[in-house]
Amino acid sequence: MPKTGHITIFDRSWYGRLLVERVEGFCTEQEWQRAFREINEFEQQLADFGTVIVKFWLHIDQDEQLRRFKARQEDPARQWKITEEDWRNRQKWPQYELAVTDVLQRTSTTYAPWTILEANCKLYARIKALRTVAEALQRALQRTKVSRKNRETFA
């Protein structure tokens, strides 16, 4: 976890249980159902400690995913980015879509909301991500400023 004043980026992080492990059958339904509560409680603890949590779901449609897979496969410099497992997982699109819907609905909270990045256009997604982070940090700084002012008033 980042110490005060620092930023940490987690890629996928603790959501594996709700996505890959669920779809691939690496855990029981009881285990992945329990993970919703555990994740929400964990993120609540982080937020209560003062951590600003910004979560992104990068959404692309099936056609765009196929275009990107083929482009990687045809480019010798990027072939390492595509594996047979990627193609196999693509066949499970409906299962992943259901799991993602559950994740977004059940783990988006006031203290740790999801932002969906429409990522068929990489430039648009990047700009939206940067704006979202900047706005979240501005809100947190404003809360800190108001909180500090209130403490000074009542001190």
Side-chain angles (χ1 to χ4, degrees):
M1 295 296 107
K3 63 183 179 177
T4 302
H6 286 73
I7 294 176
T8 300
I9 298 173
F10 294 96
D11 183 0
R12 293 179 188 89
S13 66
W14 39 87
Y15 285 88
R17 167 82 20 119
L18 297 175
L19 296 169
V20 175
E21 291 181 33
R22 171 184 173 174
V23 172
E24 297 298 327
F26 297 151
C27 63
T28 67
E29 182 174 349
Q30 182 182 14
E31 290 170 328
W32 62 258
Q33 287 285 355
R34 185 183 68 230
F36 286 113
R37 179 182 45 78
E38 293 170 345
I39 287 170
N40 287 335
E41 289 173 356
F42 175 61
E43 290 176 350
Q44 176 75 64
Q45 290 173 351
L46 292 174
D48 289 348
F49 181 70
T51 302
V52 177
I53 303 170
V54 183
K55 302 187 296 193
F56 296 111
W57 179 262
L58 281 74
H59 177 75
I60 61 170
D61 62 34
Q62 284 182 292
D63 292 338
E64 179 62 14
Q65 185 191 55
L66 180 59
R67 187 191 70 71
R68 290 181 188 183
F69 277 20
K70 287 180 177 179
R72 285 178 179 168
Q73 206 165 28
E74 294 167 6
D75 181 353
R78 296 188 310 150
Q79 285 176 346
W80 64 272
K81 289 184 168 188
I82 187 85
T83 67
E84 288 302 317
E85 190 169 332
D86 294 315
W87 289 103
R88 183 183 62 78
N89 288 337
R90 183 174 155 72
Q91 299 304 312
K92 296 182 180 187
W93 188 281
Q95 296 96 313
Y96 275 103
E97 194 168 43
L98 177 62
V100 167
T101 299
D102 283 348
V103 164
L104 296 176
Q105 288 177 345
R106 295 180 64 185
T107 64
S108 191
T109 60
T110 57
Y111 49 86
W114 280 99
T115 298
I116 298 173
L117 298 179
E118 300 83 351
N120 277 2
C121 174
K122 291 181 181 183
L123 178 61
Y124 175 84
R126 289 172 181 158
I127 291 169
K128 184 175 179 180
L130 290 170
R131 285 184 175 152
T132 301
V133 169
E135 289 166 4
L137 293 175
Q138 285 175 333
R139 284 191 304 274
L141 289 171
Q142 186 62 34
R143 282 192 305 269
T144 301
K145 190 176 180 180
V146 168
S147 175
R148 201 173 283 142
K149 187 176 181 180
N150 287 340
R151 280 195 307 264
E152 291 169 0
T153 301
F154 294 107

